[in-house]
């Protein structure tokens, strides 16, 4: 019995005290799986509203343009304004959650921003003031991306080890489900409201967007419930708050290796050719392929529909096989093929969009973990923050450029422009392949080789790190280690293979942006 | 990865070939344009103006005749001599009683002739926003009953505007452009024209609509002695550079039965614009009906030019309707413009602009070059041996 208790403690049930004082229902006991499943449910729906409302403009593109008499470049400003605050905020999201607000309050604040942003956006449409809509998207953007960080931090606090992969996968799928539902439902909502009011117009648009804001309110409720449950669990289990673990040091940027810069270029070059394209996709399919609006929205959302199941599967595959650079090359080449199909042929766009969905999922699974292979742990926060920051900067600029190109030159030139962006990513990927070959092929190793290397490295690194500046090992001697860290140390001394996500802050960082 | 690079390599080759064919297939030749306007005389104001344009090429001449006597008509006459002339017997032409008042000298040089007549402007009330013009048609405007202003000539363009008696303000205008070399229209839809064609832009400017939800149709007749424009081919094109979001081209062609040689054509893109200086949002799609044979006598009676030139014409008619279900109505901007290209021979074929080709070539070429160079370099390094990093035996 004592043996069992001791093993339980070492294996991370995190009971500092003597466990729950009085017997509780399984569903109310924070240490039991059933309760954590309830928490998981709320965690998944935390981000639903934000992803539902992010792509509202794309789902209602023709209505927005017609009712408000916009040009396409004005329309794309709605996406650009979402990305502008995140150029700066990506660096501070983790900091705000850890030091300033704490996870619970921070989540609630960001959910409030998301809600308020969507309501202001809807109000702008209702009153036919475009500047108000842009302001609404700006406020929405402040909350949206940071909410994803908070979602991941919650996940890391409540789930450990192999469960974490599943939880991240579920969160990602829920986010994608939100986007898909948005694409397919908003048009129907708009038509219903039009029937009720009589004729389309900006008030109908405002009403539809307010209805969409209900999902944001729902997410806010989830945030409040999560905050309550988390506080209760902390009280019951005397659990230590584990934050995002991010440390941002801007001066680290000059130490980034060449491979990391190439990864940044791939990231920017790739995502700017996917998200603005989906933003403008509906009318493209209506005009070029003579799809009906409902069909066009369906094919536009196929990227998200495929990504929901494909991301966990492909993530598992990439984890098992390694060789990330090869997968990245394949994904970028496949996306280039998909865009060229859409640009230069009249082949059924379902094919190209399905290919785009699969390659998009593959790239997300293969690219983001590479950062962790290239950059030392203490710079990871800065690296991921920088990557997201320039990704948002690229998205903001390219969204506006895409709208302007479409207005003046049409869809073929727009598609060629996207192909050019992906070619930039392709060039960077090819260069990355060769740079990696020169440097010894660390990025492109198979998973087995990498696991063997990390095991050797972890025992070597422990010896190496001791005489240098105080690190985790040293600090551990100065301050009591958490049970989690203690368990890892014990296992590494035993020679057990530590999963790469055993370090909480690493895993939350690695998956933070798979949602994008 | 290898498959990806081989595929992109193949496409690169295709693109290079495309560049070569584009540059080599440019149509040669220029024409000398000379325009002559015969205004209606004071004694017979209803005679209408006659515009005669001679486009002289290397060994042929293309005559364009445009007349506002009756329904506005554009007549093309293609002759195989550079010195052919058009003779007009004015009293007979004005009287509109007999044919033969307009002749080509020498008559034996006549190769092909065809005419396009704009006969009626129809309007209907689209109460349910379905864009189906089968019912609720208002009484149509007959363009032969319009009062036409004098043709305004500003080389190489000519402008004709006219109003109906029932218009309080606003007019229907036709602008003709003639070309001495290949090129593109200056405004949307930037139609590609050759020297064997002329561009007709039709627009409704400020014409009062008889209902808030009315849409318009324009009826056209194609007239020819033996082979008028008969069938419409709709081509899909992947290139919408010059008319953003329009991927189709409609060609109304006349061909000898059974052969695929095109004698003459009327070409348009199925888009109309709702502003004088349009942006992308002002484009409204348009549809055409199936061409139907009409009796030659009706079109002969409506147009003086047809009466004077053709003895036994055959005609085909179609309607072009502007706007689809869900598109804004005419009353929103009270402006509609549509462009048509009329010519002899085969219609010009659009091709990619150099910008598109260059971007694709560079975008695909650079990674392939890097792959090739890097691969070769890696092979060389491997063949030299990676002994620099591994330990060598001491003895």
């Amino acid at each position: 019995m004592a043996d069992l208790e001791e093993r339980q403690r070492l294996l991370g049930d995190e009971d500092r005290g003597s466990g729950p004082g009085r017997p509780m229902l399984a569903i109310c006991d924070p240490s039991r799986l059933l309760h954590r499943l309830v928490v998981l449910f709320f965690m998944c729906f935390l981000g639903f509203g934000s992803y539902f409302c992010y792509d509202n403009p794309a789902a209602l593109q023709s209505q927005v343009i017609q009712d408000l008499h916009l040009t396409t470049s004005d329309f794309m400003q709605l996406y650009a304004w979402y990305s502008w605050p995140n150029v700066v905020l990506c660096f501070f999201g983790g900091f705000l959650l850890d030091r300033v607000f704490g996870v619970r309050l921070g989540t609630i604040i960001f959910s409030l921003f998301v809600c308020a942003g969507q309501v202001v956006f809807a109000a702008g449409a209702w009153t036919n003031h475009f500047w108000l809509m842009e302001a609404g998207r700006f406020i929405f953007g402040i909350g949206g991306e940071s909410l994803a960080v908070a979602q991941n931090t919650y996940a890391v606090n409540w789930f450990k080890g192999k469960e974490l992969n599943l939880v991240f996968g579920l969160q990602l799928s829920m986010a994608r489900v939100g986007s898909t539902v948005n694409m397919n439902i908003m048009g129907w909502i708009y038509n219903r409201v039009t029937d009720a009011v009589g004729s389309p117009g900006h008030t109908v648009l405002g009403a539809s967007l307010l209805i969409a804001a209900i999902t944001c309110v729902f997410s806010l409720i989830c945030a409040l419930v999560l905050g309550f449950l988390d506080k209760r669990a902390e009280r019951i289990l005397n659990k230590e708050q584990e934050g995002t673990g991010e440390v941002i040091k801007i001066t680290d940027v000059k130490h980034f290796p060449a491979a990391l810069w190439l990864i940044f270029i791939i990231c920017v070059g790739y995502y700017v050719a996917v998200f603005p394209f989906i933003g403008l996709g509906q009318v493209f399919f209506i005009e070029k392929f003579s799809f009906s609006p409902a069909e066009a929205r369906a094919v536009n959302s196929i990227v998200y529909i495929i990504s929901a199941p494909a991301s966990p599967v492909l993530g598992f595959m990439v984890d098992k096989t390694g060789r990330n650079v090869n997968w990245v090359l394949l994904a970028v080449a496949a996306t280039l093929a998909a865009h060229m199909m859409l640009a230069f042929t009249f082949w059924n766009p379902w094919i190209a969009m399905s290919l785009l969905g699969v390659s998009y999922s593959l790239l997300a699974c293969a690219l983001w973990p590479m950062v962790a292979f290239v950059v030392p742990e203490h710079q990871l926060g800065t690296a991921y923050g920088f990557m997201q920051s320039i990704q948002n900067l690229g998205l903001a600029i390219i969204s506006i450029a895409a709208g302007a190109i479409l207005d003046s030159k049409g869809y073929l030139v727009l598609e060629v422009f996207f192909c050019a962006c992906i070619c930039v990513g392709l060039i960077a990927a090819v260069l990355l392949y060769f740079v990696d070959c020169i440097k010894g092929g660390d990025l492109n190793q198979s998973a087995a080789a990498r696991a063997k290397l990390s095991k050797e490295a972890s025992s070597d690194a422990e010896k190496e790190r001791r005489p240098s500046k105080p690190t985790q090992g040293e600090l551990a001697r100065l301050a009591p280690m958490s049970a989690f860290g203690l368990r890892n140390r014990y296992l590494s001394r035993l020679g057990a293979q530590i999963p790469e996500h055993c370090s909480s802050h690493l895993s939350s960082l690695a998956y933070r942006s798979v949602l994008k | 990865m290898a498959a990806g690079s081989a595929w992109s390599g193949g496409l690169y080759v295709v693109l290079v070939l495309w560049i070569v064919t584009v540059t080599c297939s440019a149509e040669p030749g220029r024409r000398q344009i000379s325009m002559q306007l015969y205004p209606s005389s004071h004694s017979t104001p209803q005679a209408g103006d006659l515009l005669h344009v001679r486009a002289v090429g290397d060994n042929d001449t293309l005559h364009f005749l445009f007349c506002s006597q009756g329904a506005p008509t554009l007549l093309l006459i293609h002759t195989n001599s550079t010195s052919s002339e058009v003779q007009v017997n004015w009293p007979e032409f004005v009287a509109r009683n007999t044919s033969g008042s307009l002749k080509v000298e020498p008559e034996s040089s006549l190769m092909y002739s065809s005419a396009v007549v704009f006969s009626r402007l129809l309007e209907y009330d689209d109460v349910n926003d379905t864009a189906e013009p089968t019912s609720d048609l208002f009484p149509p405007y007959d363009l032969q009953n319009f009062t036409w202003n004098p043709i305004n000539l500003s080389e190489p363009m000519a402008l004709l505007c006219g109003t109906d008696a029932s218009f309080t303000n606003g007019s229907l205008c036709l602008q003709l452009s003639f070309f001495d070399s290949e090129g593109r229209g200056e405004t949307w839809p930037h139609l590609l024209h050759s020297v064997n064609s002329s561009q007709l832009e039709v627009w409704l400017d400020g014409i009062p609509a008889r209902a808030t939800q009315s849409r318009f149709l324009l009826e056209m007749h194609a007239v020819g002695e033996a082979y008028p424009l008969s069938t419409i081919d709709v081509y899909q094109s992947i290139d919408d550079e010059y008319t953003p979001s329009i991927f189709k081209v409609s060609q109304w062609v006349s061909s000898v039965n059974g052969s695929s040689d095109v004698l003459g054509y009327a070409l348009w893109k199925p888009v109309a614009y709702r502003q004088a200086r349009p942006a992308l949002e002002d484009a409204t799609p348009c549809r055409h009906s199936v061409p139907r044979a009409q009796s030659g006598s009706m079109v002969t009676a409506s147009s003086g030019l047809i009466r004077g030139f053709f003895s036994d014409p055959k005609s085909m008619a179609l309607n072009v309707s502007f706007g689809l279900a869900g598109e804004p109505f005419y009353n929103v901007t009270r402006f509609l413009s549509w462009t048509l290209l009329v010519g002899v021979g085969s219609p010009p074929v659009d091709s990619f602009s150099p910008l598109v080709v260059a971007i694709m070539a560079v975008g695909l070429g650079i990674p392939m070059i890097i792959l090739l160079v890097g691969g070769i370099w890696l092979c060389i390094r491997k063949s030299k041996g990676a002994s620099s990093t591994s330990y060598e035996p001491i003895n």
Side-chain angles (χ1 to χ4, degrees):
Chain A
M1 189 59 193
D3 200 14
L4 182 67
E5 268 186 35
E6 193 175 290
R7 206 187 304 159
Q8 265 191 339
R9 241 183 288 145
L10 285 171
L11 288 173
D13 272 319
E14 286 154 329
D15 296 343
R16 284 276 181 77
S18 50
R22 61 183 193 284
M24 280 192 277
L25 291 173
I27 203 168
C28 297
D29 184 353
S31 58
R32 302 285 291 276
L33 182 63
L34 200 52
H35 181 81
R36 291 191 305 150
L37 281 179
V38 170
V39 170
L40 176 63
F41 172 83
F42 286 111
M43 243 191 265
C44 288
F45 277 98
L46 184 64
F48 184 88
S50 141
Y51 281 93
F52 186 93
C53 295
Y54 169 76
D55 263 324
N56 269 344
L60 293 172
Q61 186 185 348
S62 356
Q63 290 87 337
V64 170
I65 289 183
Q66 244 177 36
D67 290 342
L68 298 161
H69 306 295
L70 302 174
T71 64
T72 317
S73 46
D74 289 337
F75 169 78
M76 289 308 278
Q77 290 277 13
L78 294 175
Y79 280 99
W81 279 108
Y82 176 91
S83 295
W84 288 123
N86 292 306
V87 175
V88 173
L89 215 56
C90 285
F91 283 112
F92 299 117
F95 172 75
L96 287 171
L97 280 177
D98 281 346
R99 304 288 182 79
V100 181
F101 296 126
V103 178
R104 288 189 288 269
L105 185 60
T107 310
I108 295 172
I109 289 179
F110 291 134
S111 291
L112 274 170
F113 266 103
V114 164
C115 235
Q118 180 67 9
V119 169
V120 171
F121 182 51
W126 189 292
T127 57
N128 201 5
H129 288 308
F130 188 61
W131 59 268
L132 196 58
M133 292 178 79
E134 289 174 313
R137 288 292 282 185
F138 183 81
I139 298 171
F140 183 75
I142 293 177
E145 294 280 305
S146 314
L147 196 60
V149 179
Q151 205 177 6
N152 282 334
T153 313
Y154 264 123
V156 162
N157 279 346
W158 280 83
F159 298 91
K160 293 288 182 286
K162 292 221 162 52
E163 297 173 332
L164 211 51
N165 268 339
L166 187 64
V167 166
F168 283 132
L170 264 174
Q171 281 182 342
L172 179 64
S173 297
M174 280 312 299
R176 291 290 161 247
V177 166
S179 307
T180 308
V181 170
N182 160 67
M183 285 286 183
N184 290 302
I185 261 195
M186 281 313 287
W188 179 84
I189 290 180
Y190 185 91
N191 289 337
R192 283 274 152 275
V193 179
T194 310
D195 290 340
V197 169
S199 67
H202 55 86
T203 41
V204 173
L205 185 64
S208 313
L209 291 171
L210 265 180
I211 294 175
I214 292 176
T215 55
C216 294
V217 172
F218 177 55
S219 290
L220 179 63
I221 294 173
C222 288
L224 290 166
V225 168
L226 264 180
F228 166 71
L229 286 175
D230 194 61
K231 190 164 182 73
R232 179 171 171 275
E234 186 184 317
R235 182 175 42 86
I236 291 175
L237 298 178
N238 286 330
K239 202 166 58 158
E240 204 178 76
Q241 271 291 299
E242 297 204 38
T244 60
E246 275 175 46
V247 176
I248 303 279
K249 261 176 68 179
I250 307 291
T251 50
D252 280 341
V253 172
K254 57 182 193 290
H255 298 303
F256 285 162
L260 189 63
W261 288 105
L262 286 172
I263 292 176
F264 289 162
I265 295 175
I266 297 173
C267 172
V268 175
Y270 186 86
Y271 284 107
V272 299
V274 173
F275 288 107
F277 171 69
I278 294 179
L280 292 169
Q282 190 201 356
V283 180
F284 175 56
F285 295 122
I286 293 176
E287 300 280 356
K288 180 164 180 184
F289 299 96
S290 309
F291 275 17
S292 71
E295 229 183 335
R297 274 183 225 120
V299 78
N300 208 18
S301 66
I302 198 80
V303 175
Y304 294 137
I305 295 178
I306 287 183
S307 170
S311 293
V313 169
L314 291 171
F316 181 74
M317 181 187 72
V318 174
D319 275 346
K320 279 279 158 269
T321 59
R323 303 203 189 283
N324 290 49
V325 180
N326 287 353
W327 291 120
V328 165
L329 267 171
L330 179 66
V332 176
T335 308
L336 182 63
H339 267 293
M340 290 181 75
M341 262 195 262
L342 287 168
F344 295 115
T345 70
F346 279 98
W347 296 345
N348 199 332
W350 287 99
I351 304 172
M353 291 302 276
S354 306
L355 183 61
L356 189 68
V358 173
S359 56
Y360 162 73
S361 312
L362 181 60
L363 186 106
C365 297
L367 185 72
W368 295 91
M370 270 209 284
V371 178
F373 300 146
V374 179
V375 152
E377 266 179 48
H378 59 278
Q379 289 179 347
L380 264 182
T382 316
Y384 277 117
F386 197 76
M387 194 155 160
Q388 272 202 294
S389 173
I390 54 170
Q391 182 198 44
N392 277 293
L393 182 66
L395 278 175
I397 295 174
I398 299 292
S399 295
I400 303 175
I405 290 176
L406 180 58
D407 271 340
S408 57
K409 283 276 183 191
Y411 284 103
L412 179 74
V413 178
L414 182 67
E415 279 289 336
V416 168
F417 172 70
F418 285 141
C419 287
C421 291
I422 298 184
C423 284
V424 168
L426 186 65
I427 294 171
V430 169
L431 283 175
L432 181 66
Y433 180 79
F434 288 120
V435 164
D436 182 55
C437 271
I438 297 171
K439 293 249 174 79
D442 291 328
L443 284 180
N444 219 11
Q445 285 172 335
S446 70
R450 181 169 294 132
K452 200 167 67 160
L453 228 72
S454 72
K455 197 175 69 174
E456 292 165 14
S458 63
S459 43
D460 284 338
E462 286 263 348
K463 289 184 220 145
E464 203 185 273
R465 271 190 280 169
R466 243 175 268 141
S468 58
K469 48 187 171 164
T471 57
Q472 281 197 347
E474 287 252 330
L475 287 172
R477 274 185 228 113
L478 304 172
M481 277 180 86
S482 71
F484 190 71
L486 192 62
R487 174 192 75 139
N488 290 341
R489 209 144 168 212
Y490 167 72
L491 287 174
S492 72
R493 290 285 158 79
L494 286 184
Q497 193 172 3
I498 305 173
E500 57 194 16
H501 50 261
C502 66
S503 194
S504 66
H505 65 276
L506 286 188
S507 48
S508 87
L509 285 174
Y511 285 89
R512 182 172 77 166
S513 305
V514 181
L515 290 168
K516 247 277 183 272
Chain B
M1 192 196 95
S5 67
W7 197 90
S8 57
L11 209 68
Y12 186 48
V13 169
V14 166
L15 275 168
V16 169
L17 281 175
W18 194 289
I19 304 172
V20 171
T21 45
V22 157
T23 47
C24 293
S25 65
E27 203 182 313
R30 296 176 67 95
R31 287 186 185 274
Q32 302 262 2
I33 307 279
S34 58
M35 303 170 86
Q36 177 84 45
L37 180 64
Y38 301 101
S40 59
S41 60
H42 292 291
S43 53
T44 50
Q46 68 272 33
D49 300 342
L50 180 68
L51 174 69
H52 174 215
V53 177
R54 285 185 82 227
V56 182
D58 288 336
N59 50 11
D60 63 351
T61 309
L62 201 52
H63 296 269
F64 297 95
L65 287 123
F66 185 60
C67 183
S68 56
Q69 186 185 54
T73 309
L74 176 68
L75 172 65
L76 280 88
I77 304 173
H78 193 200
T79 61
N80 61 4
S81 109
T82 55
S83 55
S84 57
E85 288 289 340
V86 167
Q87 308 276 5
V88 183
N89 185 332
W90 285 105
E92 281 186 16
F93 182 67
V94 170
R96 287 166 74 172
N97 275 335
T98 54
S99 77
S101 52
L102 199 88
K103 279 203 296 252
V104 168
E105 292 294 333
E107 285 209 33
S108 53
S109 63
L110 177 64
M111 287 201 300
Y112 174 75
S113 62
S114 129
V116 171
V117 182
F118 295 93
S119 46
R120 293 194 303 177
L121 182 68
L122 300 114
E123 186 182 350
Y124 65 102
D125 188 8
D126 195 7
V127 276
N128 291 331
D129 198 7
T130 53
E132 290 295 321
T134 45
S135 54
D136 297 329
L137 272 173
F138 290 113
Y141 297 112
D142 245 321
L143 264 64
Q144 61 181 313
N145 296 333
F146 271 40
T147 317
W148 296 105
N149 299 340
I151 292 179
N152 190 334
L153 201 63
S154 51
E155 304 215 13
M157 294 195 294
L159 178 65
L160 173 70
C161 284
T163 57
D164 186 62
S166 62
F167 291 169
T168 45
N169 52 9
S171 56
L172 181 134
C173 294
L174 293 103
Q175 182 169 65
L176 277 138
S177 310
F178 302 97
F179 310 110
D180 58 356
S181 59
E182 214 180 77
R184 282 196 182 273
E186 278 179 4
T187 57
W188 280 354
H190 293 304
L191 286 176
L192 176 70
H193 56 78
S194 64
V195 292
N196 292 336
S197 56
S198 81
Q199 179 175 288
L200 253 170
E201 197 180 330
V202 185
W203 66 82
L204 312 173
D205 190 1
I207 290 178
R210 288 177 275 195
T212 44
Q213 292 191 290
S214 57
R215 298 195 195 273
F216 281 95
L217 298 103
L218 185 65
E219 188 183 82
M220 289 195 316
H221 285 253
V223 183
E225 196 72 53
Y227 302 109
L229 307 179
S230 49
T231 50
I232 296 208
D233 299 325
V234 177
Y235 289 106
Q236 279 192 316
S237 141
I238 59 175
D239 192 353
D240 71 330
E241 266 179 275
Y242 300 105
T243 38
S245 81
I246 306 297
F247 292 94
K248 293 194 182 71
V249 178
S250 303
Q251 291 175 3
W252 196 7
V253 296
S254 87
S255 50
V256 185
N257 288 338
S259 95
S260 61
D261 273 338
V262 173
L263 299 171
Y265 60 91
L267 183 153
W268 68 88
K269 293 216 171 169
V271 61
Y273 294 102
R274 292 181 290 111
Q275 293 272 13
R277 286 182 201 291
L280 180 62
E281 306 74 54
D282 302 318
T284 187
C286 56
R287 277 187 319 220
H288 58 82
S289 63
V290 178
R292 282 200 304 225
Q294 302 276 311
S295 75
S297 54
M298 205 172 68
V299 74
T300 312
S302 65
S303 163
L305 204 51
I306 304 292
R307 188 81 180 102
F309 185 75
F310 292 106
S311 47
D312 182 24
K314 300 183 185 39
S315 89
M316 304 281 280
L318 61 71
N319 288 331
V320 177
S321 67
F322 302 110
L324 290 185
E327 292 284 324
F329 299 106
Y330 169 75
N331 247 344
V332 176
T333 53
R334 293 182 142 214
F335 184 91
L336 258 182
S337 95
W338 181 63
T339 311
L340 182 68
L341 193 77
V342 185
V344 299
S346 294
V349 179
D350 255 326
S351 60
F352 292 129
S353 73
L355 175 72
V356 168
V357 176
I359 293 179
M360 287 312 298
V362 167
L364 289 177
I366 294 187
M368 282 198 32
I369 294 174
I370 298 179
L371 262 176
L372 266 171
V373 167
I376 293 174
W377 184 69
L378 266 183
C379 284
I380 294 177
R381 239 182 60 145
K382 272 210 184 107
S383 63
K384 279 209 210 127
S387 51
S388 51
T389 49
S390 61
Y391 291 117
E392 287 179 337
I394 297 173
N395 48 353

